């Protein structure tokens, strides 16, 4: 919000002005710069308080935009954000093992109960050695992880060396921290390889940043964890690790209606990342369980209590 003032200091106009067209630091045209020279920055909250306080004592006419007629404006805005935010789901996972990092994701995008796409690319290739995953709002994840790619490239140009996984995840966490409470929805992993070895970090839209060896994010993550925790160990071969990631995402897609589509698996080594698998979840179902009666969901035998 900006406030137009006269030479005597009286307020002439209060309005929301796009930053790119009115903010002087972003204006390169001399005429536009002189046009916005009479605008003084005024916080949006102050504008709202002025509106609630009623008309000014100045004799000059003031034009204001109407605000919702509510007592608690902040609370009203928070409730509206929750009302218009659709439910969404996904399943992504990553783990470090002896031969690098495995990243596995599904490809289904949902809007509430509506499946909007089965072909979303949920791995963002930041650079040759860095990968990011998407969980939450697709637009938020895609935009800010591509923005992270730009920051990583600028780091390389300024410092003459490749950015570490640790530093890249910190850049993203700093960006998310600055946008806390503004409606972003992100739960991402940043994975890669740098001179110190493999790295895996979880970063979300609240600015939280956690280092770990195993993560699963999304509505189907609990189902994926069930398979991942059972089959994981440090000395997995590359083939076993790829199969573990693929099977974990398949089982999440089977149990979670918001996950599915295609299982994509990436392997990150000191030579960079490589996509090693891309399989349809429905085809994997018949690959793993060609006889439907053998599927765990068909189990009918009752287990005897321990010690009976």
């Amino acid at each position: 919000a900006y406030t137009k003032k006269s030479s005597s200091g009286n307020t002439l106009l209060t309005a929301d002005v796009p930053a790119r067209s009115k903010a002087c630091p972003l204006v390169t045209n001399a005429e536009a710069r002189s046009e916005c020279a009479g605008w003084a920055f005024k916080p949006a909250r102050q504008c709202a308080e002025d509106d609630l306080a009623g008309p000014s004592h100045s004799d000059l006419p003031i034009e204001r935009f109407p605000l919702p007629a509510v007592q608690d404006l902040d609370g009203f805005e928070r409730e509206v954000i929750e009302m218009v935010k659709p439910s969404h789901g996904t399943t992504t996972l990553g783990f470090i093992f002896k031969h690098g990092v495995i990243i596995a994701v599904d490809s289904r995008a949902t809007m509430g109960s509506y499946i909007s796409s089965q072909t979303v690319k949920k791995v963002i290739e930041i650079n040759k050695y860095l990968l990011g995953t998407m969980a939450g709002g697709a637009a938020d994840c895609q935009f800010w992880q591509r923005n992270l790619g730009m920051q990583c490239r600028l780091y390389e140009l300024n410092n003459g060396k490749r950015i570490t996984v640790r530093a890249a995840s910190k850049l993203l966490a700093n960006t998310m921290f600055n946008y806390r409470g503004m409606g972003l929805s992100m739960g991402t992993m940043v994975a890669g390889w740098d001179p110190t070895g493999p790295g895996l970090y979880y970063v979300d839209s609240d600015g939280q940043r956690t280092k770990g060896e195993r993560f699963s994010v999304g509505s189907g993550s609990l189902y994926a964890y069930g398979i991942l925790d059972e089959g994981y160990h440090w000395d997995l071969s590359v083939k076993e690790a790829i199969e573990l990631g693929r099977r974990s995402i398949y089982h999440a897609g089977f149990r979670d209606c918001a996950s599915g589509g295609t299982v994509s698996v990436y392997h990150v080594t000191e030579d960079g990342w490589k996509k090693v698998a891309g399989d349809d979840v429905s085809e994997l179902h018949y690959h793993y369980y060609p006889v439907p009666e053998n599927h765990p969901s068909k189990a009918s035998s009752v287990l005897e209590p321990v010690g009976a």
Side-chain angles (χ1 to χ4, degrees), residues 122-143:
K122 295 186 181 180
V123 173
I124 306 296
E125 297 151 358
I126 299 172
N127 62 32
K128 184 181 177 182
Y129 297 91
L130 278 176
L131 294 175
T133 64
M134 290 171 45
D140 295 341
C141 294
Q142 288 179 348
F143 179 86

Side-chain angles (χ1 to χ4, degrees), residues 168-185:
S169 66
K170 185 62 176 177
L171 288 176
L172 182 61
N174 288 344
T175 302
M176 293 300 98
F177 187 85
N178 290 332
Y179 283 87
R180 282 192 311 171
M182 297 189 183
L184 294 182
S185 176

